[in-house]
Amino acid sequence: MGLANERAILPRYQTLSAEQIDAKAADDVVTIADHEAEAILAEGLAKLLPEAAIVGEEACHADPSLMERLSDDLCWIIDPLDGTNNFAAGKPPFGVLVALAERGETIGGWIYDCLSGRFCHAQIGKGAYVDGERIYARPSGENPPIAAISLVFADPDRREALKTGIAPHYTCVDIPRCAAEQWPRLALGINDVSIFERTLAWDHAAGVLLLNESGGKAARPDGRAYRVEEHLQKGLIGASSPALWDELAARMALI
């Protein structure tokens, strides 16, 4: 991850020309740094575990059939530059996300902050770590709890329901438009809860594992575990404690 950052990402930060930024969809861009970083990461991961499939965000954009590999016996999942809109605008946060899944269940996750060098990782059943130190999720202690609610990919009715049925119960803060930043915030006592509408595997596989392994809770609103092959389904809740998760899920069931 550090190699991809040093070779492909940081040299492009705040130096991108217009022709090095392309629109993938409305309000969603990709840059030359995304493509270069994914190539570096894919090459390195293939050497580490040759038997594993590799599913990268940009490769899937070019060939959506690659998503079928998410349920393989082993699968690397790559977001080579998460927070690309921020990166393209020349501002933080942005990072790199890598996860390893076994038959749809995430068993390893790595989150790298490109500017600070903060490195989060988690392994199923073995805890969560930041820069080598084990972490334990903790609420912010604020009352009302701090919520970061992603409305970007919600349809108008859903957006209004979240604004009227959920937001008044929390102190709402802006989302960073970067899962590589949002998930650590939940584990490190900065935010208490988050709601995600879009749940793509490269955005969330590593973060869900990090939060769950740190003692917080991330799951579908109905309580089901997040599985990477179901990443086109909508709806995901993360919370810094199981109690805060239960409280938010109960409210969401009413809207």
Side-chain angles (χ1 to χ4, degrees), residues 2-184:
L3 184 63
N5 189 42
E6 292 172 9
R7 291 188 179 178
I9 298 173
L10 287 185
R12 307 284 188 181
Y13 184 47
Q14 297 179 335
T15 68
L16 290 169
S17 59
E19 59 268 20
Q20 293 173 327
I21 306 172
D22 294 313
K24 286 203 300 189
D27 199 29
D28 193 9
V29 301
V30 63
T31 74
I32 187 172
D34 296 75
H35 292 295
E36 290 181 350
E38 184 162 306
I40 292 168
L41 288 162
E43 181 181 4
L45 294 171
K47 292 176 181 177
L48 282 176
L49 206 60
E51 65 271 31
I54 296 178
V55 175
E57 178 181 5
E58 306 315 328
C60 285
H61 182 70
D63 180 7
S65 69
L66 286 173
M67 295 182 191
E68 297 171 7
R69 304 298 303 276
L70 287 167
S71 58
D72 277 16
D73 286 346
L74 285 172
C75 178
W76 290 112
I77 304 165
I78 304 170
D79 189 336
L81 179 50
D82 183 62
T84 302
N85 281 37
N86 298 333
F87 177 81
K91 64 181 183 180
F94 52 90
V96 181
L97 293 157
V98 173
L100 180 64
E102 183 178 44
R103 292 184 290 277
E105 180 182 22
T106 309
I107 60 173
W110 299 265
I111 305 175
Y112 183 75
D113 184 295
C114 294
L115 291 178
S116 71
R118 181 187 65 198
F119 182 62
C120 307
H121 78 276
Q123 186 175 350
I124 192 165
K126 295 188 176 181
Y129 298 80
V130 176
D131 296 329
E133 181 178 347
R134 188 159 186 176
I135 60 166
Y136 299 89
R138 60 187 186 275
S140 70
E142 296 295 321
N143 187 24
I146 298 173
I149 302 173
S150 178
L151 302 175
V152 178
F153 300 104
D155 61 42
D157 288 345
R158 180 68 168 174
R159 188 177 298 119
E160 187 60 27
L162 290 169
K163 285 181 178 180
T164 59
I166 302 298
H169 300 283
Y170 297 91
T171 299
C172 292
V173 296
D174 290 339
I175 62 167
R177 288 293 306 263
C178 176
E181 173 64 21
Q182 188 60 60
W183 286 108

